[in-house]
Amino acid sequence: MKINRRNFLFGSAAAATLAGSNTSKMGVRPRKPGEPINVAMIGVGIQGRSALLPQFLDQKNARVALICDCDKTRMEDCVKRVNDFYKDTACKGCTDFRDVLKDPTIDAVCIATPDHWHAYICVEAMKHGKDVYCEKPLTFSIDEARKVIAAQKKYGRVFQTGSMQRSWAKVSEFRTAVMIVRNGLIGDLKYVDANYGIGGKKLGGPSHPVRFFDVPANAAAESDGYEQLGEAGWNMWLGPAKWRPYSNQLAPKGVNKFYPMFWRFDDDIGSGYNGDWGAHHLDIAQWGMDMDDDGPYKIIRSDEPYSTDLFHGGRRQFGMKMLFKSKKDGSDIELYHGPFGVWGTVFYGTDGIVAVNRGKIAVWKGTGLVKPTEEIRKGLQDVTFMKDKIVAESVGKDYGTDSSAKVDNKLAAAVDKLIKTFDLANAKLQVYKSENQVKNFCECVESREMTISPAEVGGRSATLCLLCNMSYQYDTGFDWDGKKMDFAGSTAKRLPLGRADYRGWDIVV
């Protein structure tokens, strides 16, 4: 079944039939007019608890009804937060996500577990008739991305990937940048930079080889907290990942107040900065290139120096490239992964440049084609670069992950000037507009329309992150079939696209 991205208009009866026809589980729960969507939060570490829960509580057409986390202390804390917010005791808790899926009163789930659990829970939730909001990067592997995409098509569920930069509430600098690029207002797109990770440092672009403890010398201290989870809880936290000793830096005990980056940089659980920040900036690159339904055709190995940090296993930290075919004329678009700088994503056209990041945007017009060299990239860090060609710019305060924070007035003025200068309100191509990723999801649960970041968009963005990781991990380049999301050409080196062993948590669409 082919789902039309902009006309996902299943009525409640059709949706119930679709969701129930391919599974022996359950279909859509019929709701009375005005009855809120019952949402379950699965995984309430610091991201689920601090970034996502408040947004779901803020939705007038939804109600957080169930909290699930394998850490009972964390789960109970979050249940109390929800009940205090609603001033009742209706919200309940559990420690096994399978209890959420079996609950017929739950309409939708928000998944904020570590990456290695995303795909299994996403697919099983859709089988059980639940709509799904899942944190980015959507999957741990490319094979998982293909399966999550297939599951949304098969079960007809509303799906949202947490690529929040597509739904930036205050000023929409990312949408403005994409609108300028997609409408050809800087000419034909030729180069794109996606900048994240710190070259040569402990936290680079790719993930790290598996290790048991974040700081091996502190193994005894990092083992503190195992009794809180116990054997069953720890085994559940690991799920499809290989067994290893418990570390409270990997799985923080209780109500943790720090982002546990250890698991994000582990080959068996996360995908490094490629999956962390790459899932944001590569996603905007994908949006701007009009590649939400396609991908690169070639992966090019980095020529940067190998890392000398023992944590990296000798892996290069940035410099890999991907080649895409332009949908306009079939010419190449080259995407380069560089380290953190002022700009998260930079688009280079035949007659201009668009650079954007959180709280920042700059557009140069009338430049002719500027090929990004090390000197050019360094120059772009200062917005006075090619000052006579600047249409508008702002490098105001970076408001981080809080899209509701106060925005620098200069940024708003710059975006407003760009909208007026390029007449974006009347541009021929209008990209999807969303004010908030969670709000967009809840609205689409009711309307049955497609969200701004459905499974295919999120899956393909995750695939870009994973192709980066694969190139660094195996120090190689290869041919790729963007449509099929698989290796291509006679020179393709067959590398693993998924796990060899899921420890019994095999993903079956």
Side-chain angles (χ1 to χ4, degrees), residues 343 362 364 379-387 390 393-395:
W343 307 113
W364 291 262
L380 286 173
Q381 302 304 302
D382 183 348
V383 292
T384 61
F385 177 74
M386 295 190 294
K387 190 172 183 179
I390 291 178
E393 59 80 15
S394 174
V395 287

Side-chain angles (χ1 to χ4, degrees), residues 125-351:
M126 288 187 277
K127 282 184 182 179
H128 283 75
K130 316 297 186 189
D131 295 324
V132 176
Y133 184 107
C134 185
E135 256 301 334
K136 60 80 198 167
L138 183 55
T139 61
F140 167 80
S141 75
I142 293 172
D143 179 63
E144 291 177 0
R146 295 187 301 202
K147 287 177 177 176
V148 173
I149 292 169
Q152 189 191 11
K153 291 179 179 178
K154 181 174 182 178
Y155 300 109
R157 308 312 311 155
V158 170
F159 195 102
Q160 181 80 296
T161 310
S163 306
M164 65 175 72
Q165 289 182 171
R166 293 209 181 197
S167 301
W168 222 238
K170 288 287 185 180
V171 181
S172 303
E173 62 268 36
F174 293 104
R175 182 176 185 272
T176 300
V178 169
M179 283 281 288
I180 292 170
V181 174
R182 292 275 293 274
N183 279 286
L185 299 172
I186 57 166
D188 297 332
L189 185 61
K190 295 298 180 184
Y191 300 96
V192 184
D193 290 346
N195 302 317
Y196 54 87
I198 306 169
K201 302 295 183 180
K202 183 178 178 181
L203 301 180
S207 60
H208 301 159
V210 176
R211 64 188 191 278
F212 290 154
F213 295 97
D214 189 25
V215 181
N218 296 338
E222 283 189 35
S223 298
D224 178 47
Y226 174 75
E227 67 285 349
Q228 190 166 296
L229 278 174
E231 182 179 357
W234 176 231
N235 201 43
M236 175 61 82
W237 191 96
L238 287 172
K242 296 175 184 176
W243 189 91
R244 68 181 71 194
Y246 171 80
S247 163
N248 56 31
Q249 298 302 297
L250 188 67
K253 61 178 182 178
V255 186
N256 57 302
K257 294 180 172 59
F258 68 97
Y259 279 92
M261 301 304 288
F262 180 17
W263 69 255
R264 185 167 294 290
F265 286 86
D266 185 282
D267 278 349
D268 203 38
I269 299 171
S271 48
Y273 259 132
N274 285 322
D276 186 16
W277 277 100
H280 288 302
H281 298 323
L282 287 168
D283 180 66
I284 297 302
Q286 175 177 291
W287 200 15
M289 290 188 292
D290 189 19
M291 291 291 164
D292 280 348
D293 61 352
D294 207 335
Y297 73 88
K298 185 177 286 293
I299 309 304
I300 301 174
R301 166 183 172 273
S302 171
D303 287 328
E304 294 294 332
Y306 294 104
S307 172
T308 58
D309 189 317
L310 292 177
F311 282 112
H312 289 151
R315 296 172 186 176
R316 306 173 198 269
Q317 297 302 291
F318 61 96
M320 68 82 65
K321 299 175 182 177
M322 299 185 236
L323 297 182
F324 299 75
K325 289 293 185 184
S326 167
K327 289 186 177 178
K328 180 180 179 181
D329 58 13
S331 62
D332 281 352
I333 302 174
E334 180 182 285
L335 187 151
Y336 165 84
H337 165 225
F340 272 134
V342 171
W343 307 113
T345 312
V346 185
F347 300 95
Y348 303 83
T350 52
D351 199 30

Side-chain angles (χ1 to χ4, degrees), residues 14 56 93 123-124 129 204 220 224 241 331 365 371 381 438 457 480 483:
F56 274 98
V123 171
E124 288 301 309
D224 178 47
S331 62
K365 177 68 175 172
K371 184 176 181 178
Q381 302 304 302
V438 171
V457 172
W480 186 253
K483 284 288 186 184

Side-chain angles (χ1 to χ4, degrees), residues 36 38-40 57 62-67 75 78-94 103 105-106:
N38 279 340
V39 178
L57 291 174
R63 183 182 176 96
V64 177
L66 186 59
I67 300 294
M75 175 269 288
C78 215
V79 168
K80 183 178 186 304
R81 290 169 188 254
V82 174
N83 286 332
D84 286 349
F85 177 86
Y86 291 129
K87 295 181 172 55
D88 59 29
T89 58
C91 181
K92 305 301 179 184
C94 63
D103 190 331
T105 68
I106 297 301

